[in-house]
Amino acid sequence: MTDMMEDVRQHYHATGLTERLRAALTALWPEDQLLTPQQLGALDQFHTRGHVATAEIGKLAEIAANMSVLDVGSGVGGPARVLAAAHGCRVTGIDLSEPFVNAARYLTERTGQTGQVSFQTASAPELPFDYGCFDVVLLLHVAMNISDRARLYREVRRVLKPGGRFVTYDVVVNSGEPHYPVPWARTPATSFLLTAGETREAIEPAGFRALVWQDSTEAAKGWIAELRDSGPPPSPNLGLVMGPDFPQLAANLGRSLMEGRLGILTAVFEAV
């Protein structure tokens, strides 16, 4: 494990997370009551536009019931559970943070999806899977933490079947640095932003052909403005996962988007 990857791991090291989630959810619903993925949406969709973006990504990827999907950097498992419920697919999530993986497993037990959705601790540039075993690979607000993008995208291509789809929904840099701290990095030491053009230049040589190339920045800015106008978020929310400084992290992301420093890219590629 490199020092850089250890720094990223520490950023997402939420000690006692599963216990905090259990206490917060039990205060609202009995422990033996099954929950829907939508009931967890305020605390497990760790990307701009939340559930709406997750639903759009499922459609863009053309996910179907017979497919095997890999969510790289799956966090506490929100998108995996939503997509499995919506499309009937099988989803595997990997994440560098063991507390996130444990929390994802607990939340998946609460939604009754353990037979369909699974999680394991692993590093995105070293995926622990054989060649060509997934129909779809998702990367949702994750690549910003990975310095060796060429290696990342080669690994994604390696585990995809020929003709499979790769969806990246990530933050890109437009001009200058974001205002730190942000949700993926408290300092520039663990932030490895590329422009949209640089992202494409890194992905295509790994064996991909672009199908969809979409600037989602304005939609993200509108979503942030709506959240700002709607008052405090419902509880439990992402602050429970990321800690008491999460409002500042989220505000800095919003400020950086509004000022044009950052953008949001949605892209779909076919493995060739």
Side-chain angles (χ1 to χ4, degrees), residues 179-247:
H179 297 284
Y180 291 99
V182 284
W184 66 92
R186 287 179 170 83
T187 72
T190 53
S191 182
F192 306 99
L193 294 164
L194 298 181
T195 66
E198 289 167 343
T199 300
R200 187 166 186 164
E201 290 171 4
I203 292 174
E204 290 185 335
F208 290 103
R209 177 173 67 91
L211 302 176
V212 176
W213 189 260
Q214 180 177 301
D215 184 345
S216 300
T217 308
E218 290 305 313
K221 288 162 66 174
W223 175 79
I224 288 169
E226 287 178 10
L227 288 183
R228 194 176 293 158
D229 293 342
S230 63
S235 184
N237 54 60
L238 276 166
L240 185 63
V241 176
M242 287 301 295
D245 64 343
F246 184 73

Side-chain angles (χ1 to χ4, degrees), residues 3-190:
D3 291 342
M4 180 272 294
M5 294 302 289
E6 185 59 34
D7 288 343
V8 172
R9 188 196 296 273
Q10 287 302 315
H11 176 73
Y12 297 106
H13 188 75
T15 303
L17 176 57
T18 300
E19 290 72 21
R20 294 200 305 274
L21 289 171
R22 180 178 284 109
L25 294 180
T26 304
L28 297 172
W29 301 286
E31 182 73 17
D32 59 354
Q33 178 182 333
L34 284 181
L35 306 177
T36 67
Q38 288 71 25
Q39 286 174 296
L40 302 176
L43 65 81
D44 68 3
Q45 301 290 315
F46 197 19
H47 52 269
T48 55
R49 299 177 65 229
H51 265 296
V52 173
T54 301
E56 288 179 0
I57 287 161
K59 292 178 181 178
L60 287 172
E62 297 184 356
I63 295 174
N66 63 339
M67 288 184 174
S68 180
V69 178
L70 174 64
D71 184 7
V72 177
S74 51
V76 295
R81 287 185 290 272
V82 168
L83 293 172
H87 300 279
C89 56
R90 301 180 309 280
V91 186
T92 301
I94 68 107
D95 201 277
L96 190 64
S97 168
E98 187 173 1
F100 277 16
V101 169
N102 290 336
R105 290 169 176 164
Y106 166 69
L107 294 174
T108 304
E109 290 173 4
R110 291 300 310 264
T111 60
Q113 293 175 284
T114 53
Q116 190 180 6
V117 183
S118 63
F119 301 93
Q120 59 184 284
T121 305
S123 173
E126 299 176 3
L127 296 173
F129 306 107
D130 292 334
Y131 284 80
C133 54
F134 292 99
D135 298 288
V136 175
V137 176
L138 308 176
L139 201 68
L140 313 183
H141 284 29
V142 171
M144 308 92 69
N145 279 134
I146 299 172
S147 60
D148 192 344
R149 294 291 189 91
R151 181 177 178 181
L152 167 68
Y153 300 133
R154 285 196 303 268
E155 276 291 270
V156 169
R157 176 62 188 90
R158 182 181 66 78
V159 302
L160 261 178
K161 298 175 183 178
R165 292 200 167 195
F166 167 43
V167 183
T168 182
Y169 177 62
D170 268 310
V171 181
V172 295
V173 65
N174 290 331
S175 61
E177 286 284 306
H179 297 284
Y180 291 99
V182 284
W184 66 92
R186 287 179 170 83
T187 72
T190 53

